[in-house]
Every structure is written in structure tokens, then in C-alpha cells.
Amino acid sequence: SLQDETEEDSPPVVTKSPDLAKIQTSLLPGELPGYTGWARPVYSLAPTFEIVGASWRDPPNRWIVNIKSNGCNLNQAEHTKFFARAYGPAIIMGRATEYEHCHYDIAFDFFDPGTYWVEIVVTFSHGQIPRHFPLFKTSTESYDDPAYEGYYIPGFPQSLEVEDGNVATQQAEHSKTCTIQDIQVSDPHTEPGRWVMKHRPSYDDVKTTQNMTEISLDGYESGGNAMGAMLTYHLNSGCTIPKHPPNIDQKTVVLFVGDHTFRAQHSYMDKKHSKQENIEMKLVTNSGGMFKMSDEVYNQISKFSEGAERKGASVVIIFNTGLHDIFQLCSGEKATARSQHEELSKEEYTCVDHYKWLLMDMTSFLVHLPSNPRVFFQTTNAGWPKWGNYGTAWMPDKGQPYPLSPDFVLQFNEIAMNRLQETFGDSITILDGYWTTLARPDNRLVDPHLTSSLEHYLVHPGHQVQKAFLHTWTIVLNDILSQQMTPST
């Protein structure tokens, strides 16, 4: 029969066993939730893009995709914004550069060989510069800002094989313990580190109770029973991150000055350093933004600094002001509130100028503190991503507004860094909060009691991200200790 002949002539089917080692140490396509599929406008420039070329460039670990749009308006000043990432053995974020109007290079720097899943998504076709915001200066009613789009450009997603010869050589650096230079941010557009796939939890990893079907909150926060993948944060310099914080010999008061994301960070650090007798950690909250809270913030900092001086303690200040300022000063949602303040409702008002003024006021205050504190600034974390932990996402009938997006935050980080470096020069250390959080929207705050306003909690980093910040802080403490041990001249 035809069936017998076909079976006789057909070659035997060989089932190839999966590479279990790769599966254990690599994120597979689709394992990270995508940046598509939410409520979004119909119109987008995404379909008008095409891939012009892709190649490895110098440095040899840099892969660049060149794309152009055939539908953008050459006379418009707006610039398209993208979300670009590659994930596999690590999560690598892409950086977009417009080298000619409507033409962009998307660059990825790889440090770990293997197979990657590359995604390039248009987030906003017409990403206006922050100086244009708020869009309606004198509005007394809330209005809608440009909404997130989230469409792949044609040709993506796609897989990319990264060979050993393409990745940066770091072996020589592995014996070096990380120092403050390894974590100091000098360029807001450059990642200081990356998330590397460690392993998938085994039976023993998740066996925390006798009832193996029980859902563990600790396991969920760490990835054990959430994404099912454990990742660790590595610095791109290849140095070794110290595992344990040093013992500080001199009395030191550390002031965390920031919003609710800093509250969580302060709580995490304070708990981890609870046995350190000479370190006292204090929280000064500016939730609501420095626009609303500056007087109270200055009073609190002064009180803690004076108390530290009386104890003979040195003062360290790590601060951030960003998300609340952006929301209050720039967003259409807060137009009604701004209309109640004369200086915020003038035709010439821009949220960028007001933010610069707030930073200038803050830095002037810090410079003139009698305690002469060591000052650190942590860049604002990557805004409100498109998804968080399970059950936490933007509502299907609500588009994400541009001022609350990572794209907008990145531009404000650039403004903040320029202003701070003008004032402090080399005496301020800038730490990363943006790139560390941008790559991990899957690791967000878990609050089992939260029943409403879920999108607000997308902005709060989860357990793994806080642990990465802890490693950064350990390096900072090592630097503080080394300075305390250096005789003053």
C-alpha cells in the first residue's frame, strides 16, 4: 500500500534532546512577558520601520541594528522612543540613538555568550522632549498625555547567536574587588551592570515546607515560584562584588532622602545592617515631590545632621528626587492641582525648568550643611513599566501616559546628572537606579493586601532588585571605610 511504501521509504525520526545545560542557565523565548498587548492607540509608526542592517561593531561585544522609518515627518521635532532588550543567558537592554532624522541605531552590549531573544518595540511614535511639558500650560482640568503604543517593528522579535569571540573579555578583572569606580554612573545612557541567569530552582531550592503545593511569598519574591528563574546582578566591569558589608569603625549617620521606593530601600538596608553598631540609618521622605516637601525635607536633614555632629559622627546622604516631581509637575493628570499654584500655571512654565530649580535649591542646601556630608545621588528608577508581578498591570482601558514611562524618566535623569555635576563636580557620586530596575519589570513589590490602584505599585522594586541595591551599598560602605581610615591632611 501507499502507506506501507511511505513508511518504508521515510528516514527514521530522530528526536534531539534539549540542551539541558542551556535551559538551566538561559531565559527562553517568551519567558519574560512582552511589551505588547495592552490598551494602546491604533496609530503607530511601528509598521513604517524597516531594518537597514545589523552588524558587530567596535567594541567587539556591541551589536547594532540600524532601522529607519519611511512614514515619519521629516519636519517634526519629536523623536520615536523604543523599548529594546535581548534576553537569554542575561538580560541586555538596548540603547537607541537617532543619528539622522527618522534613522536610528539600536545598540546592545553583550558579555555572556549564548542564544538571545531580541525585541525592539515602539513605545511612543512622537516622543516629545520634556521641555514641552506640561502640554497645556494653563489647563485647569486634567487631560490625556500621549499614550504608550507597544508595537514590534517589522523583523522583530528574532533570535541572535552570541559567540565567545563577540563578548567582552573580563577574566582579568574577576580577581578585582569592586570599588566605587565600578558603580559610579558618568553617562545616564550606559548600563553599569546586567542581570545574569543563575539557574532554575530545583526541587531542593523550593522545598520550604512539607506541603510542596503551598505558595511561598518568599519564593515568589525571589523568583522561585514566580518566573521560575533565579537571576543575579553582575557589574559590567567584571569585578567581584563583596558578599558582606564591612564593619564601620567610626560613628556614621546615613540619611536616605527619597520617596516610597527609598522607604523600601532604607528598610531593606537597615535590616541587613542591624548588627552594625556604628551605623545609624535614617529616612527622610519627600513623597509628593520636592515641590511640596522641600521645607519639611530640609528641616529633617538639618535635625539629623546636627544630631550627628553632636555625637561626633560623620554624615552620608544618599538622595533621589524624580518620580513624584515628574508626576506632579509634568503630567496631564495633575493639571487641576497645578492650576492652584500661580507659578505653575503660567504660559511660560515648563516642568523641566522647575525641576532644575528644585535641584539647584536642594544642592545649594546640601553644599552649605555644616556637617559637610558625603553626598550620593541615585538615578530615578525606570518609572512605571508595562507589567509587574502577577496580577499587577495597567488597566485595559487606560493607556500609559508618556510622562510616567521609562523613556521620560531617562531624560530627567540626564537633566539631574548635568545639574548635580555642575554643582558638585567630582565630589558627588552618582549611583544607578534606572538600568537596574528597567530590566526587571517582573520583579516588583509584592503586597498581598493591595486591592486597588495596582499600577501605582509597579514602580516599587521587588526583592531581587533590592538585593542588587544592597550589593551596591556594600561597595559604598567599603569606600566610606577606606576614607575614614585615610588620615586627613
Side-chain angles (χ1 to χ4, degrees):
S1 68
L2 180 62
Q3 181 178 354
D4 292 336
E5 290 176 5
T6 304
E7 289 179 351
E8 188 175 80
D9 295 339
S10 298
V13 177
V14 178
T15 304
K16 184 178 180 181
S17 298
D19 188 336
L20 295 180
K22 282 189 176 181
I23 291 176
Q24 285 295 325
T25 58
S26 186
L27 292 165
L28 303 178
E31 280 201 290
L32 285 185
Y35 262 59
T36 63
W38 279 267
R40 50 197 176 164
V42 173
Y43 173 78
S44 175
L45 281 178
T48 72
F49 277 92
E50 64 175 286
I51 301 173
V52 177
S55 61
W56 293 96
R57 307 271 185 91
D58 187 45
N61 66 319
R62 181 166 296 166
W63 187 66
I64 295 181
V65 184
N66 177 247
I67 60 175
K68 72 172 183 178
S69 168
N70 297 312
C72 76
N73 188 337
L74 292 172
N75 297 319
Q76 285 185 328
E78 295 93 350
H79 311 280
T80 301
K81 300 299 179 183
F82 304 90
F83 178 84
R85 72 177 175 193
Y87 64 89
I91 303 174
I92 305 299
M93 304 309 300
R95 306 178 308 280
T97 303
E98 186 175 21
Y99 67 91
E100 184 180 319
H101 200 48
C102 304
H103 289 68
Y104 300 85
D105 277 343
I106 314 291
F108 300 85
D109 289 347
F110 293 95
F111 297 84
D112 313 274
T115 304
Y116 286 81
W117 192 242
V118 184
E119 302 171 332
I120 300 179
V121 172
V122 170
T123 54
F124 297 91
S125 291
H126 306 290
Q128 301 180 39
I129 59 176
R131 183 169 289 282
H132 293 164
F133 285 78
L135 294 181
F136 302 98
K137 315 291 188 188
T138 58
S139 175
T140 57
E141 297 182 1
S142 298
Y143 58 85
D144 292 330
D145 288 305
Y148 173 88
E149 295 166 27
Y151 292 97
Y152 281 122
I153 69 168
F156 288 91
Q158 62 175 256
S159 63
L160 173 70
E161 196 67 34
V162 178
E163 305 289 348
D164 287 329
N166 297 127
V167 299
T169 302
Q170 299 177 315
Q171 285 75 9
E173 294 289 331
H174 280 308
S175 59
K176 170 181 172 289
T177 300
C178 298
T179 66
I180 201 74
Q181 285 73 31
D182 293 297
I183 59 173
Q184 186 164 348
V185 177
S186 57
D187 179 1
H189 299 277
T190 301
E191 289 180 89
R194 67 202 183 280
W195 289 95
V196 177
M197 176 71 169
K198 185 178 180 182
H199 71 285
R200 296 180 187 281
S202 65
Y203 177 85
D204 291 330
D205 291 326
V206 297
K207 188 172 64 175
T208 56
T209 67
Q210 290 184 347
N211 179 5
M212 289 304 295
T213 63
E214 183 175 324
I215 296 173
S216 159
L217 181 58
D218 287 341
Y220 189 78
E221 289 178 328
S222 65
N225 52 291
M227 188 168 65
M230 313 292 278
L231 292 93
T232 56
Y233 191 72
H234 292 213
L235 290 169
N236 289 340
S237 65
C239 62
T240 301
I241 298 175
K243 291 184 178 180
H244 304 290
N247 291 316
I248 300 297
D249 297 327
Q250 299 178 22
K251 289 185 181 298
T252 304
V253 175
V254 181
L255 303 183
F256 285 82
V257 183
D259 56 19
H260 283 89
T261 62
F262 255 49
R263 181 190 297 275
Q265 197 167 325
H266 163 264
S267 176
Y268 198 87
M269 304 295 183
D270 194 34
K271 187 183 300 182
K272 295 295 182 182
H273 296 288
S274 59
K275 296 180 180 179
Q276 291 249 23
E277 294 182 358
N278 287 327
I279 296 182
E280 189 177 357
M281 295 195 178
K282 301 290 187 180
L283 175 68
V284 178
T285 180
N286 62 10
S287 294
M290 289 299 290
F291 161 63
K292 289 185 174 182
M293 299 290 293
S294 59
D295 289 342
E296 185 173 340
V297 167
Y298 295 160
N299 288 336
Q300 288 290 309
I301 292 176
S302 296
K303 183 181 78 171
F304 288 135
S305 292
E306 290 166 5
E309 282 188 281
R310 287 193 294 270
K311 298 175 186 176
S314 60
V315 178
V316 175
I317 296 176
I318 174 171
F319 81 100
N320 170 268
T321 182
L323 290 177
H324 284 266
D325 297 299
I326 293 171
F327 183 49
Q328 297 288 340
L329 301 175
C330 306
S331 71
E333 189 174 335
K334 286 296 180 180
T336 302
R338 283 195 300 272
S339 68
Q340 309 303 313
H341 300 271
E342 183 179 354
E343 71 273 24
L344 304 186
S345 55
K346 296 178 180 178
E347 186 64 41
E348 64 271 19
Y349 164 75
T350 72
C351 62
V352 166
D353 288 338
H354 202 84
Y355 181 65
K356 286 181 178 178
W357 180 85
L358 290 172
L359 279 172
M360 186 168 60
D361 193 57
M362 176 76 168
T363 53
S364 176
F365 170 80
L366 294 176
V367 164
H368 291 95
L369 276 175
S371 58
N372 190 28
R374 176 91 182 269
V375 180
F376 295 83
F377 178 79
Q378 183 172 296
T379 59
T380 301
N381 69 340
W384 287 258
K386 288 305 299 175
W387 83 91
N389 296 93
Y390 177 77
T392 307
W394 289 87
M395 299 300 101
D397 60 345
K398 182 180 180 181
Q400 181 187 23
Y402 183 42
L404 302 190
S405 70
D407 304 287
F408 205 84
V409 171
L410 179 60
Q411 295 172 87
F412 262 68
N413 278 334
E414 185 173 6
I415 292 167
M417 286 182 61
N418 289 338
R419 175 63 66 183
L420 293 169
Q421 287 167 341
E422 285 173 9
T423 304
F424 287 97
D426 295 335
S427 65
I428 190 169
T429 302
I430 298 177
L431 308 173
D432 176 61
Y434 180 83
W435 294 100
T436 310
T437 53
L438 180 66
R440 293 305 304 277
D442 60 284
N443 195 249
R444 297 285 141 171
L445 174 75
V446 177
D447 188 343
H449 307 294
L450 192 65
T451 57
S452 61
S453 300
L454 292 178
E455 68 274 13
H456 296 160
Y457 280 79
L458 286 171
V459 78
H460 295 170
H463 174 75
Q464 284 192 19
V465 177
Q466 295 289 8
K467 192 173 181 180
F469 287 147
L470 177 64
H471 290 157
T472 296
W473 188 239
T474 299
I475 298 169
V476 169
L477 289 179
N478 275 335
D479 191 70
I480 292 172
L481 178 61
S482 68
Q483 288 206 353
Q484 289 180 348
M485 294 175 64
T486 302
S488 57
T489 56

